[in-house]
Amino acid sequence: MYNWRKLIDKLFTYMVIAVSIVAISPVIHLIITVLLNGTMVIVKTGINFFISLPPTPFSKDFGGIAPAIVGSLLMTFISLPITIVLGLFAAILTTEFPKNTISIVIDTIAKSLASIPTIAVSMIVYTIIVVPMRSFSALAGSIALTIVSLPYAYTYFSTTLRSVPFIYREAAFSIAMSRWSTVLKILIPVVRRGIVTAILMTLVRILGETAALLFTAGRFRNGVTISPLAPADAIPLLIFDFVLSPYEIWRQVAWGASALLLLSYMVIFFTVKFLVKEVKL
Amino acid sequence: MLSRKDKLFFMSLLPLSLSLLAILIISIAVIGIRSIDSISFFGSKLYTMNVWDPEAEVYGLLAPIAGSIVTSVIAILTASFFSIPLTITIAEYLKGSTKNIVSSIVELMGGLPTIIYAVWASQYLVPFLKQYVMDPLYSYLSFIPLFSCKPITGFSVLAAGISIGISITPYVTALILEAYQSIPSIYREACYGIGATRYESIKILLSLARPAIIAALVLGFARSLGETTIAVATIGNSMNLNLCLFSPSYTVSALIASQFANAYLYPYAESVLYAGMLILVIISILLSLYGSTTIIRWRSRVIV
């Protein structure tokens, strides 16, 4: 009887560990293959990969993904500040007035918004921005990215702010600081690492989002523009189109772009990891 | 009651904070209004028939809706098969730096842009699944309706479900792990106190966490319903409705991703796609609210 129970215990342990190894092996395979295939393309093209236009299906050269890089940077540049301000304001409101009805409503809404499929956001922005403006634009893409990442930014900021012990607030109030200066001079500086982390995690959301850009940004790949009102391209969008295309050369470019995206993601991830112990994306 | 100064502070925060509310209202309103046309024209047939014929102006979304649900069910089965053992390994068997590395890998997986999963799944996972899972299942078990058709390219409901399942595994794992680790240690001590082995105490702790685990799976299901890029890259994209898991099909979001760009050419096509999305959005919001409130309620009951 005793041995029988011990045997089951052992078997269970081995099985659980075996399945766990199977569970994390896909991501290791993924990282290795994407980096191998992708860096090969980038090394072959060299600096051209970052400064030239994508190839035509039958050209010999890989070309580059300059429009996608510029477009991604431009849309991130527009949407990140807006997302941070909106998310931070909402997070301050709900942490400072946790029992207020409006705070509870905002908290629930953030959860519902996060569950809306991102392709739905793309369709919504298409109707309210692209159709009235009669053109795809980097601006429409940025708005879609903001809507997609706002609930996440809100959650990151409010978890961070909620981690400040109440005694800090009491100390600030006892020397008659106003509520605004308490937030700006005490609470945010106390958790500045957490705030930086929250900003970086929002950046990851914005950089990697594909579906929200499908019907908003346009797919302008014949040149580089930095006008927010002109159609633009983005790295995930280019990967999406090229990897599913029948042309071998486009699939190669998609590998290169994927490696670039993966590398930038990993750089941000390890920076965050360096700042805080546990990361929850 | 708020004092005058507090009220001022509150009011200064309010306008920007309400952006979340405004976005939710606008989103649902836009999708609702845009789908009215097709719902009033086609009625319930829109959801019970299966056709996509813009030339003849007949549409029915049964295949993509069924595809979405079946894909998500496979995804959540895959995710629970992986994430429960992963939770146990991280929480029970690993210590120190190995634990750090493994949980870092899970965190790294969780934030990975889905497009990268899509690239990898379409180039490596689908051929792998075709050769080592679908072909053997077809040759030995083809009398079961689920496995009754010959896998041709490998791009299929099963491939999409497993690919999405792998991508949501870290999310589900994080939720289950959080719940599992928040169980107070007195329960574990009680288990060891009556002489339970580790396996027996894990079984008891898991049954204690069951409501939270189910809620985590519901949240994962909601997330996989809306997954677009991986679905488009692996499901094979065809308006197909049959029981076999090896045949290509559509999910609602994959259908939209591939048809929306040209839909404005036909009078009802755009509206039909919005109507499909309406169903998806309603289901996702309800499931995610159910899931998150269940977890909160479970936590307040277990942790005293």
Side-chain angles (χ1 to χ4, degrees):
Chain A
M1 186 67 196
Y2 179 75
N3 282 331
W4 179 240
R5 284 175 57 209
K6 252 194 163 164
L7 188 72
I8 289 185
D9 190 46
K10 273 255 157 60
L11 273 177
F12 177 75
T13 310
Y14 292 139
M15 250 171 59
V16 163
I17 291 177
V19 176
S20 301
I21 292 170
V22 175
I24 57 174
S25 50
V27 78
I28 293 167
H29 184 256
L30 177 152
I31 290 175
I32 294 172
T33 48
V34 170
L35 288 184
L36 271 185
N37 286 325
T39 39
M40 227 137 74
V41 175
I42 298 180
V43 167
K44 258 190 233 162
T45 26
I47 189 78
N48 269 334
F49 193 74
F50 303 95
I51 54 170
S52 27
L53 301 177
T56 57
F58 304 107
S59 66
K60 293 252 156 45
D61 277 342
F62 283 136
I65 57 166
I69 295 176
V70 173
S72 270
L73 290 178
L74 174 68
M75 285 191 273
T76 309
F77 190 73
I78 301 174
S79 107
L80 187 63
I82 305 176
T83 315
I84 291 171
V85 170
L86 294 179
L88 195 55
F89 264 73
I92 294 173
L93 182 88
T94 56
T95 36
E96 293 296 301
F97 301 95
K99 298 223 167 69
N100 195 299
T101 327
I102 292 180
S103 304
I104 297 167
V105 169
I106 290 180
D107 217 55
T108 319
I109 284 174
K111 276 174 201 144
S112 331
L113 262 185
S115 67
I116 291 186
T118 55
I119 192 164
V121 173
S122 195
M123 298 166 81
I124 293 156
V125 174
Y126 174 81
T127 299
I128 59 175
I129 310 280
V130 175
V131 173
M133 283 178 62
R134 291 164 188 229
S135 139
F136 296 109
S137 62
L139 182 71
S142 314
I143 293 172
L145 290 176
T146 304
I147 296 177
V148 166
S149 50
L150 183 57
Y152 293 97
Y154 163 79
T155 318
Y156 301 146
F157 283 126
S158 60
T159 343
T160 306
L161 288 176
R162 251 164 242 181
S163 69
V164 182
F166 202 75
I167 45 168
Y168 286 97
R169 277 193 197 91
E170 284 170 352
F173 296 156
S174 73
I175 54 166
M177 281 176 87
S178 78
R179 300 215 50 172
W180 257 116
S181 47
T182 309
V183 170
L184 292 179
K185 293 189 184 142
I186 309 290
L187 299 188
I188 291 181
V190 164
V191 287
R192 55 185 180 278
R193 269 176 180 231
I195 297 282
V196 173
T197 310
I199 293 173
L200 288 176
M201 299 208 294
T202 312
L203 176 65
V204 164
R205 284 274 159 207
I206 293 177
L207 272 183
E209 181 54 46
T210 316
L213 296 174
L214 282 177
F215 321 123
T216 53
R219 294 152 143 125
F220 183 69
R221 294 193 180 119
N222 301 326
V224 174
T225 77
I226 50 165
S227 156
L229 296 180
D233 198 10
I235 297 174
L237 211 50
L238 177 129
I239 301 174
F240 181 80
D241 288 342
F242 279 15
V243 82
L244 298 175
S245 78
Y247 308 113
E248 180 57 27
I249 188 156
W250 278 7
R251 284 208 294 269
Q252 292 294 326
V253 174
W255 278 116
S258 307
L260 185 66
L261 185 64
L262 180 62
L263 277 176
S264 20
Y265 164 66
M266 283 168 71
V267 167
I268 302 174
F269 179 85
F270 287 113
T271 317
V272 171
K273 200 70 199 166
F274 177 73
L275 289 171
V276 287
K277 243 183 72 200
E278 194 183 1
V279 190
K280 225 185 270 160
L281 281 155
Chain B
M1 236 5 250
L2 300 176
S3 73
R4 214 180 65 84
K5 271 199 174 151
D6 276 4
K7 217 176 250 171
L8 213 63
F9 177 57
F10 185 77
M11 294 317 273
S12 65
L13 286 166
L14 198 56
L16 290 183
S17 310
L18 288 182
S19 57
L20 283 155
L21 179 64
I23 290 172
L24 185 70
I25 293 174
I26 293 174
S27 305
I28 294 177
V30 167
I31 298 183
I33 290 170
R34 294 290 317 262
S35 39
I36 288 177
D37 267 358
S38 60
I39 295 180
S40 59
F41 188 76
F42 297 106
S44 62
K45 272 194 196 140
L46 192 58
Y47 298 119
T48 51
M49 266 175 27
N50 182 43
V51 262
W52 184 266
D53 191 353
E55 301 292 336
E57 283 185 21
V58 223
Y59 303 97
L61 294 171
L62 189 59
I65 291 175
S68 281
I69 293 171
V70 175
T71 311
S72 302
V73 169
I74 298 173
I76 207 62
L77 290 177
T78 312
S80 53
F81 175 75
F82 284 145
S83 56
I84 294 173
L86 210 50
T87 304
I88 298 171
T89 308
I90 293 175
E92 298 277 344
Y93 296 128
L94 298 179
K95 281 185 200 70
S97 58
T98 350
K99 183 173 177 170
N100 272 338
I101 293 171
V102 174
S103 47
S104 296
I105 293 176
V106 175
E107 287 163 7
L108 182 81
M109 282 169 82
L112 210 61
T114 50
I115 184 72
I116 294 182
Y117 279 110
V119 169
W120 174 76
S122 67
Q123 307 296 316
Y124 285 101
L125 187 63
V126 174
F128 175 84
L129 287 175
K130 178 184 180 315
Q131 196 175 349
Y132 295 104
V133 179
M134 298 182 206
D135 283 341
L137 278 178
Y138 173 70
S139 33
Y140 297 111
L141 296 170
S142 60
F143 55 89
I144 300 174
L146 291 178
F147 309 135
S148 60
C149 59
K150 190 168 167 51
I152 298 164
T153 54
F155 291 90
S156 59
V157 180
L158 184 76
I162 293 178
S163 311
I164 296 175
I166 290 175
S167 82
I168 60 167
T169 297
Y171 173 68
V172 176
T173 307
L175 289 169
I176 299 180
L177 187 63
E178 204 184 345
Y180 189 83
Q181 285 181 328
S182 68
I183 297 174
S185 57
I186 43 166
Y187 290 100
R188 180 188 312 264
E189 285 156 16
C191 292
Y192 290 148
I194 54 168
T197 60
R198 192 172 248 184
Y199 160 69
E200 286 156 349
S201 77
I202 290 172
K203 231 169 67 176
I204 292 168
L205 292 181
L206 280 180
S207 71
L208 197 62
R210 189 180 296 136
I213 293 175
I214 291 171
L217 295 179
V218 168
L219 288 174
F221 184 85
R223 182 170 276 208
S224 50
L225 268 185
E227 179 47 57
T228 309
T229 40
I230 304 177
V232 178
T234 52
I235 202 161
N237 299 322
S238 100
M239 207 67 183
N240 222 333
L241 185 67
N242 61 36
L243 263 176
C244 178
L245 297 179
F246 303 151
S247 63
S249 178
Y250 259 135
T251 67
V252 174
S253 26
L255 175 76
I256 292 169
S258 37
Q259 300 292 343
F260 191 77
N262 298 321
Y264 71 95
L265 297 170
Y266 308 97
Y268 286 101
E270 256 187 22
S271 178
V272 167
L273 294 177
Y274 278 96
M277 188 41 84
L278 184 67
I279 298 284
L280 219 59
V281 166
I282 292 172
I283 299 177
S284 308
I285 291 182
L286 291 181
L287 288 181
S288 79
L289 286 181
Y290 166 79
S292 47
T293 45
T294 312
I295 289 187
I296 294 170
R297 232 183 305 131
W298 173 82
R299 188 163 301 158
S300 62
R301 219 188 42 201
V302 171
I303 305 157
V304 258

